Amino acid sequence: MLVEYSEEVMQLGNSLFELLSEALGLNPNHLNDMGCADGLAILGHFSPACPQPELTMSNSEHTDSGFLTILLQDQLGGLQVFYQNQWVDIPPTPGALVVNIGDLLQLVTNDKLKSSKHRVLANRASPRVSVACLFSTKRQPSTKVFKPIKELLSEYDPPKYRETTVREFVEHYTKCLDRTSALLHFKL
C-alpha cells in the first residue's frame, strides 16, 4: 500500500511542479528538470491524545525545508497555518490533501512562492495521525547547486538568496533549534 501511495503522490507532485512552473511563466517542466521532485520522503506522524494540550507544544511552529510537502491529515485536524499575523485552523476535508510550499522552493523562485509557517496542536480527546510527503532532492551528498531561477530575476528583482546545495541547506535547517526557516542564513 505504501509503495502504491508513494507512486501516486510522486505523480501528483510532478503535476504540481508543472503547474507551478507555468504559473511562474516558465516551461512546464522547469521545476521538474531542476530536480525538485527527485526525492520523496514519507513520514507518518502519530500524536497520542493529550489530556492537557495547553501544556504541550505538539509540533512547534516551523516551515518545511524542502521544495513541496503534500499532507494527508486525519479527521481530527489540529493543523494551523500562520496567516496575516494570526494562527488559522486548517480543518480536515474528506478526500483532500494539504500542499505546503517549502523553503527551497521559496529560494529558487526568489520569493515568488513563499513557504508557509505552520504547526500542529495536540488533541485532548483522540490521537492524531497524518502522513507527510516531502519533496526534495535525494539527500545523498551532492554538489548540485540551487539558486534563484535566472528567468525570474531582473534588474528590479535581483537575487535575494545565495546559491546552496540541498545538503548545506538541510544541515543549516537542522541547526535552527527554534525550527524557524533557514532562509535568513542564505539571504543576500
Side-chain angles (χ1 to χ4, degrees):
M1 179 181 231
L2 183 58
V3 171
E4 183 180 335
Y5 184 75
S6 66
E7 289 171 354
E8 295 294 328
V9 168
M10 187 60 90
Q11 287 180 7
L12 175 60
N14 285 324
S15 295
L16 289 171
F17 283 122
E18 288 174 3
L19 291 170
L20 290 169
S21 293
E22 286 189 84
L24 292 165
L26 303 169
N27 175 300
N29 294 321
H30 195 100
L31 293 171
N32 283 323
D33 290 345
M34 285 178 55
C36 295
D38 283 357
L40 177 66
I42 299 178
L43 304 173
H45 294 126
F46 174 82
S47 302
C50 180
Q52 295 178 294
E54 66 280 359
L55 298 179
T56 185
M57 290 189 300
S58 189
N59 188 337
S60 60
E61 66 184 65
H62 66 283
T63 57
D64 296 335
S65 64
F67 293 104
L68 196 69
T69 301
I70 298 175
L71 177 74
L72 172 63
Q73 61 176 335
D74 64 13
Q75 296 310 305
L76 291 178
L79 177 64
Q80 293 185 323
V81 67
F82 196 69
Y83 179 69
Q84 294 184 344
N85 294 318
Q86 63 182 347
W87 289 103
V88 178
D89 290 328
I90 305 298
T93 302
L97 298 168
V98 176
V99 177
N100 287 329
I101 300 297
D103 290 343
L104 279 170
L105 193 55
Q106 180 172 335
L107 185 147
V108 299
T109 65
N110 208 43
D111 286 350
K112 303 283 187 294
L113 300 174
K114 300 278 187 140
S115 60
S116 55
K117 183 167 40 169
H118 54 282
R119 68 181 183 185
V120 178
L121 301 179
N123 187 296
R124 180 182 308 273
S126 302
R128 181 179 188 276
V129 178
S130 65
V131 179
C133 300
L134 298 98
F135 284 87
S136 191
T137 62
K138 296 180 176 125
R139 295 193 189 241
Q140 300 166 352
S142 171
T143 57
K144 185 170 184 173
V145 172
F146 289 92
K147 59 186 177 183
I149 298 167
K150 66 178 179 179
E151 291 87 349
L152 301 179
L153 304 175
S154 71
E155 78 176 87
Y156 304 106
D157 192 11
K160 294 179 173 103
Y161 302 98
R162 69 172 176 85
E163 61 185 35
T164 183
T165 63
V166 172
R167 182 177 186 169
E168 178 190 14
F169 191 87
V170 171
E171 283 174 1
H172 188 78
Y173 179 84
T174 57
K175 291 178 186 174
C176 294
L177 297 177
D178 59 359
R179 302 296 288 167
T180 56
S181 171
L183 283 171
L184 290 177
H185 179 75
F186 297 91
K187 203 117 168 108
L188 293 174

